[in-house]
């Protein structure tokens, strides 16, 4: 990637992050129906057109963008790597997602508070989770084969998400550690417990 392309991508991510954070704050302060897309554009210091280029609705802005995994990382995963063990390799994908998102613990706590406080957001977050789960079930089955089973793949994804969810409260006690490192610890502990 050229320097100008990487600078452009970094700016795009910063703008996207700023819009999503403003959407969370506005929802926390006023409720989902207490502000308009124009208010959001003003708060994020972008034009209305730019706002809609990033997010088609307030719900989408509050939830933020779904996680993105670089194609090269996905290609390595599809080929059976980087470690050759499904759980370890899914852990690498989670680490890439966590390292790629510029979200602080306070922002994660705010997101959780806002989503759990609005029934429509809970439903939208659940629908998004189901879509992402379905995509990852397909990814796992493409790598492991259909005999692995969609139900097993779905259970595995839910277990990995539960591990992430479980390490969030611990992050308050170890603020100097990254979420990715805390997740790795949770994954190791779960493997020991379930071995």
């Amino acid at each position: 990637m050229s320097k100008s392309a990487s600078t452009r991508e970094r700016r795009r991510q910063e703008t996207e992050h700023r819009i999503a954070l403003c959407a969370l704050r506005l929802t926390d302060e006023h409720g989902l129906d207490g502000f308009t897309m124009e208010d959001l554009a003003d708060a994020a210091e972008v034009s209305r057109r730019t706002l809609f280029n990033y997010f088609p609705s307030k719900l989408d802005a509050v939830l933020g963008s779904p996680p993105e995994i670089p194609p090269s990382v996905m290609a390595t995963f599809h080929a059976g790597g980087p470690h050759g063990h499904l759980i370890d390799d899914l852990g690498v994908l989670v680490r890439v997602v966590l390292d790629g998102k510029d979200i602080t613990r306070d922002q994660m706590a705010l997101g959780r508070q806002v989503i759990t406080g609005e029934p429509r957001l809970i439903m939208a977050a659940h629908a998004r989770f189901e879509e992402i789960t379905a995509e990852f079930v397909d990814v796992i089955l493409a790598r492991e084969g259909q005999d692995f089973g969609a139900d097993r793949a779905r259970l595995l994804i839910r277990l990995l998400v539960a591990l992430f969810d479980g390490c969030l409260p611990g992050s308050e006690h170890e603020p100097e550690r990254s979420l990715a490192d805390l997740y790795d610890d949770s994954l190791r502990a779960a493997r020991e417990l379930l071995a």
Side-chain angles (χ1 to χ4, degrees), residues 90-91 94-95 98 159-161 163-165 167 178-188:
L90 284 168
V94 172
R95 180 174 265 291
L98 291 176
L159 288 170
L160 295 176
V161 169
L163 288 175
F164 171 72
D165 197 45
C167 77
S178 72
L179 285 173
D181 288 342
L182 291 170
Y183 182 81
D184 286 345
D185 289 349
S186 292
L187 182 57
R188 259 191 305 281

Side-chain angles (χ1 to χ4, degrees), residues 6 8 14-15 20 22 25 27 31 44-45 48 60 64 71 74 83 105 128 133 135 143 158-159 178 189:
S6 62
R8 192 169 37 252
E14 288 169 357
T15 301
C22 287
R25 288 177 176 157
T27 304
E45 299 178 347
R48 185 175 155 85
D60 292 306
M74 285 306 297
H83 303 294
R105 288 170 170 78
R128 177 177 284 176
T133 298
E135 290 172 16
R143 172 184 155 142
R158 289 172 190 238
L159 288 170
S178 72

Side-chain angles (χ1 to χ4, degrees), residues 8 11 14 27 35 37 44 46 55 66 75 79 92 95 119 122-123 126 129 143 148 154 178 185 190 192:
R8 192 169 37 252
R11 282 192 198 138
E14 288 169 357
T27 304
F35 67 97
M37 288 295 272
V46 296
F55 299 106
V92 169
R95 180 174 265 291
I122 292 172
M123 291 172 39
H126 179 73
F129 175 74
R143 172 184 155 142
F148 186 85
R154 194 171 293 106
S178 72
D185 289 349
E192 290 169 9

Side-chain angles (χ1 to χ4, degrees), residues 7 27 29 40 47 53-54 57 69 81 92 101-102 131 138 148 154 166 170 175-176:
T7 300
T27 304
E29 293 168 11
L40 177 54
S47 71
N53 284 337
Y54 284 90
S57 72
I69 299 173
V92 169
K101 289 280 188 182
D102 188 24
E131 288 173 19
D138 291 343
F148 186 85
R154 194 171 293 106
E176 71 287 351

Side-chain angles (χ1 to χ4, degrees), residues 167-178:
C167 77
L168 289 179
S171 71
E172 297 167 5
H173 305 295
E174 299 182 83
E176 71 287 351
R177 297 194 62 212
S178 72

Side-chain angles (χ1 to χ4, degrees), residues 23-45:
L24 281 173
R25 288 177 176 157
L26 287 170
T27 304
D28 186 46
E29 293 168 11
H30 307 289
L32 191 59
D33 294 326
F35 67 97
T36 65
M37 288 295 272
E38 289 82 5
D39 295 330
L40 177 54
D42 289 344
E45 299 178 347

Side-chain angles (χ1 to χ4, degrees), residues 28-149:
D28 186 46
E29 293 168 11
H30 307 289
L32 191 59
D33 294 326
F35 67 97
T36 65
M37 288 295 272
E38 289 82 5
D39 295 330
L40 177 54
D42 289 344
E45 299 178 347
V46 296
S47 71
R48 185 175 155 85
R49 180 178 178 172
T50 297
L51 173 61
F52 280 101
N53 284 337
Y54 284 90
F55 299 106
S57 72
K58 286 193 283 187
L59 273 174
D60 292 306
V62 171
L63 293 177
S65 296
E68 292 181 25
I69 299 173
S72 62
V73 174
M74 285 306 297
T76 299
F77 180 82
H78 280 291
H83 303 294
H85 186 272
L86 180 60
I87 303 289
D88 293 337
D89 295 344
L90 284 168
V92 169
L93 297 185
V94 172
R95 180 174 265 291
V96 167
V97 168
L98 291 176
D99 286 341
K101 289 280 188 182
D102 188 24
I103 299 175
T104 66
R105 288 170 170 78
D106 289 342
Q107 291 165 356
M108 291 187 91
L110 176 60
R112 180 177 281 196
Q113 173 185 313
V114 165
I115 289 170
T116 58
E118 290 272 351
R120 283 181 293 162
L121 285 170
I122 292 172
M123 291 172 39
H126 179 73
R128 177 177 284 176
F129 175 74
E130 290 301 322
E131 288 173 19
I132 292 170
T133 298
E135 290 172 16
F136 272 94
V137 164
D138 291 343
V139 165
I140 290 170
L141 294 178
R143 172 184 155 142
E144 299 295 311
Q146 294 298 318
D147 289 342
F148 186 85

